[in-house]
Amino acid sequence: MQIIDANTAAEIFYGYEQLRGRCISTINTLTPEEILREMKAARSRKRNFFRLRHRLASGSIRDVHVYSGPINHEGRVLLHSNIEDMTPLYAFQKELEAYRDQLEWLPIGVYRATPGPVGVMISVNQAMCEILEVDAKADLIGRRASDFHPTPAAREELSSLIVNSGGVRRIERKLVSARGRQIYALLSVSITEEADGERFFEGSIQDITARKRAEIQRESAFRRLHNALDAAPIPIMLHRVDGAIEQVNAVWCNLTGYDKDELKTVAEWTRLAYGDRSGEVRAHIETLQHEYDTVDEGDYTIRCKDGSTRIWAFYSSALESPGQPDGMIMSTAVDVTAQRAQQQQERQAEAILQSAAEGITVTGPDRNIQRVNPSFTRITGYAMADVVGKNPRVLSSGRQDSAFYESMWQQIDQYGNWQGEIWNRRKNGEVYPEWLSISAIHDAKGNLINYAAVFTDLTELRQFQSSLQSLRRYDPLTGLANKATLLEWATQAIKVATRNRKGLALLAFGLDRFHLINETFGHKAGDNLLRQLAEQMKCVAGEDADIARIGGDHFALLVPDSSDDRALSDFLLRLRGISTHPFQVDQKTAITLSFSTGVAQYPVDAQTAVELLRGAETAMFQAKRHNPGLHTFLDGTTTASTQQRLLLEIDLRQAIENDQIEVYFQPVVSVADGRIIGAEGLARWQHPELGPVSPETFISIAEESGLIGALTETLLSKAAKRMADLCQRYSRPLRLAFNISAIQLNQSDFVEKILHELRAAGLAPTSFELELTESTLMQRVSDATDILAALREHGVSISIDDFGTGYSSLAYLQEIKAQTLKIDKRFIASCPTDKASGQLVRSIIAMGHALGMQLIAEGVETQAHLDFLRKLHCEFYQGYLFSKPLPFADFETLLSKEQHE
């Protein structure tokens, strides 16, 4: 077969420049015979075309429809053909068939149905039959869709939803199979519209019954779990690895006070419960996701909503294998607050039991020992193994009879406790006293479970009481009787002397200038000398007299029968002999001691023991003043004033020893602004019988008796410590002024002593002002310059007190270079009205300023005084206008009030 003619369109389609003359096989994949068979077949099927596959010049194959028929041309029968390219159509058909095959074998049901509440199935795949439990597709096509919904209303509701929304995607619905089984399906449905306007539902159904029932079972299990968690008696929390809290039970919320809405995440819980430690706790919780076994996390102190704290013991466990991204962790807790408190109490009780200084015994109801503490062993000598299981009677000393113990146990059974002193025996056989307390211990139901006995060894107490009694009656340094014991002896001796109509004598004697020994060799050496002297005095007293130390370096000798003057003289001579005996101060130095003795006799000089001792001391001080190293009898030549002064000296010595002299503070005030810049420390003595004693009186007595050093040392230490405390607490510079006696300037170590006291008190030398009167300086003018210069080098200020009342000398003022002059109050009192006094004050202020000194006016009592001083540019003042001398507490109150103004 050969192509006779072809149009241009055919040539373009096939890709040849010319088709004419070509064999038909050039463009066909079939032989001529095969083409003829296809033509006949088409005719037999009454179709006017047949399908062929043509090859283009490019080599590609195209599917074509050939419309052919015979024609008569010049007597020849020719075949006329029209070609239509159907390649896209056949390709689409092939894809459609493949798609239909795929749909047929999909595990998801695919269907087409008419819309509406009833709807009819038009086409379905095999999976649709299996899901709806229909044997064949023919049995399903034509059935109403509503047959497979639980109710017609359910189908109507779904149809309306699809129509209104234009389709649905992946919604869950309950369906009913052809066999009546309820299934769960996941539906996706869309609406398609044909060319003629007819609309259809096309969609897919996925059977999710197994999954849904598993979810329902899981949800049911979770509900049961949640209910179980809420019913659980302990706090339980379920939280995910990502920190979201799935469930927290009611107990957890009830105990902490937090609502479930407040506990959405672990971060929120830790923030509320742990505060600053929340980060640390969260880091610990994060490690739990790697632990599949139950983890004992230990105790944590949590903060409740009301601010209280509880102790919870936590236990956590991962519910899935470690590493699951959505894994769940269950944390349980036990509130152990009470338990831990009980354990703490038990530990404390055990610690007390083990560390108690008292012996402790615990017995059972049968009164046999169950345990003892270490102090029991220390006191009794019995180890626990020696006594466990035995009755405490193994300790009995035998000093208390059976009636005593019967009474003791009767009281314990009746009242629950007993205490008292008993005697027991140690393991070594020693009998000792003890204070025993026994208590019956009952449980919550009132049943007797134990007896607890606590006892204290009274051996040391008895020894201490004996020692205390000795201390009350005897001097601890020398071992001699003390003043109180001497007075008892004297009282008894007076009674005997009165009854026998005899006399007795009391000799009081004191070492001369003993304070110089202390200052030279030290107090330790002084104490050693006193002990040596006491031994010598015991030899002098023998069995015929009683010897006592009545204070400091003062001793007394009581001679019960002094009717014989020769016996009394013998005692005096023997005492005198002691002064010839050398006493060893140290390995290199030995000295002799001198002492003055006073003698008072009963009934000539006194009627009572107190009067007798006072008379002897009066005579002793009289001897010290007039006959040092000798003895003096108390007789009518001793005047009342002399005796009163001597008695004051005795009381002053005791007052210094007992720290009864107080320091008062008189403020020093700025004239310019009225603020306190410091204070002068003043000595005040409140005598228990005489009341306030004038400083002029007791200071002069202290100077005469050698007590001024001890008095000054005590008062300076006290004043400096208090002023240092004020400077620190009020954070302001304050100056302490303190007056020094002229006698103290005689001491070679005066400067060292002053600086030592300031260092010990913590007061800077620059805050200390040393006051010296004109008379003091005049007595020591030659040496005072060097002493004061040394003090100035360390920052101590020098003040001249009572200026103008002594032998004022501009020369020595310039020489000692004092920083301050104090104007005596006698000039201030009349300065506003008396021209002479006013002019004198002007001169003193002008002179002080000329010498570069500051002025302090004393005795400022009126506003006129202050105004006068202000005009003259006087820097500071003291006086009752501002304040009288005050006790420390009142001065501090005054300073505090000023500080807060």
Side-chain angles (χ1 to χ4, degrees), residues 24 51 497 577:
I24 195 66
R51 178 183 175 186

Side-chain angles (χ1 to χ4, degrees), residues 238-252:
L238 287 177
H239 60 90
R240 298 189 181 278
V241 171
D242 61 5
I245 294 178
E246 183 73 21
Q247 172 71 359
V248 59
N249 70 347
V251 176
W252 192 296

Side-chain angles (χ1 to χ4, degrees), residues 11 265 269 295 301 618 736 793-794:
E11 291 176 343
T265 65
W269 157 248
V295 177
T301 299
T618 299
L736 172 66
E793 288 178 1
H794 287 87

Side-chain angles (χ1 to χ4, degrees), residues 252-259 262 304-306:
W252 192 296
C253 295
N254 293 339
L255 290 180
T256 63
Y258 299 116
D259 297 330
E262 297 178 272
C304 299
K305 191 171 185 177
D306 62 3

Side-chain angles (χ1 to χ4, degrees), residues 832-848:
T833 56
D834 184 75
K835 291 184 179 181
S837 296
Q839 187 58 46
L840 184 58
V841 172
R842 286 190 184 91
S843 299
I844 294 174
I845 293 175
M847 179 194 65

Side-chain angles (χ1 to χ4, degrees), residues 40-116:
K40 293 177 180 179
R43 287 175 181 169
S44 64
R45 291 195 294 269
K46 296 181 180 181
R47 289 196 298 190
N48 62 348
F49 68 92
F50 58 94
R51 178 183 175 186
L52 291 178
R53 304 196 77 198
H54 284 186
R55 181 183 294 108
L56 304 186
S58 62
S60 62
I61 304 300
R62 306 290 291 179
D63 290 297
V64 298
H65 281 183
V66 180
Y67 299 86
S68 297
I71 60 172
N72 190 349
H73 178 67
E74 296 179 359
R76 291 190 300 174
V77 179
L78 301 177
L79 185 63
H80 178 268
S81 299
N82 291 322
I83 306 301
E84 182 179 6
D85 187 3
M86 301 300 290
T87 303
L89 176 62
Y90 281 110
F92 175 73
Q93 287 178 341
K94 185 176 181 180
E95 290 177 359
L96 182 61
E97 290 172 357
Y99 174 69
R100 286 175 177 171
D101 290 342
Q102 290 175 356
L103 289 181
E104 188 65 30
W105 295 103
L106 280 177
I108 299 173
V110 179
Y111 72 95
R112 193 179 199 204
T114 59

Side-chain angles (χ1 to χ4, degrees), residues 275-333:
D276 295 340
R277 295 187 59 221
S278 61
E280 172 191 342
V281 175
R282 282 202 306 275
H284 174 68
I285 292 173
E286 289 173 1
T287 64
L288 298 178
Q289 59 186 297
H290 306 295
E291 300 286 346
Y292 192 55
D293 295 330
T294 300
V295 177
D296 180 356
E297 300 181 62
D299 292 357
Y300 281 83
T301 299
I302 65 167
R303 182 178 59 199
C304 299
K305 191 171 185 177
D306 62 3
S308 63
T309 58
R310 308 291 296 175
I311 300 175
W312 282 11
F314 283 90
Y315 301 86
S316 296
S317 178
L319 300 185
E320 285 87 14
S321 299
Q324 293 293 329
D326 60 345
M328 194 83 71
I329 296 174
M330 182 171 70
S331 292
T332 62

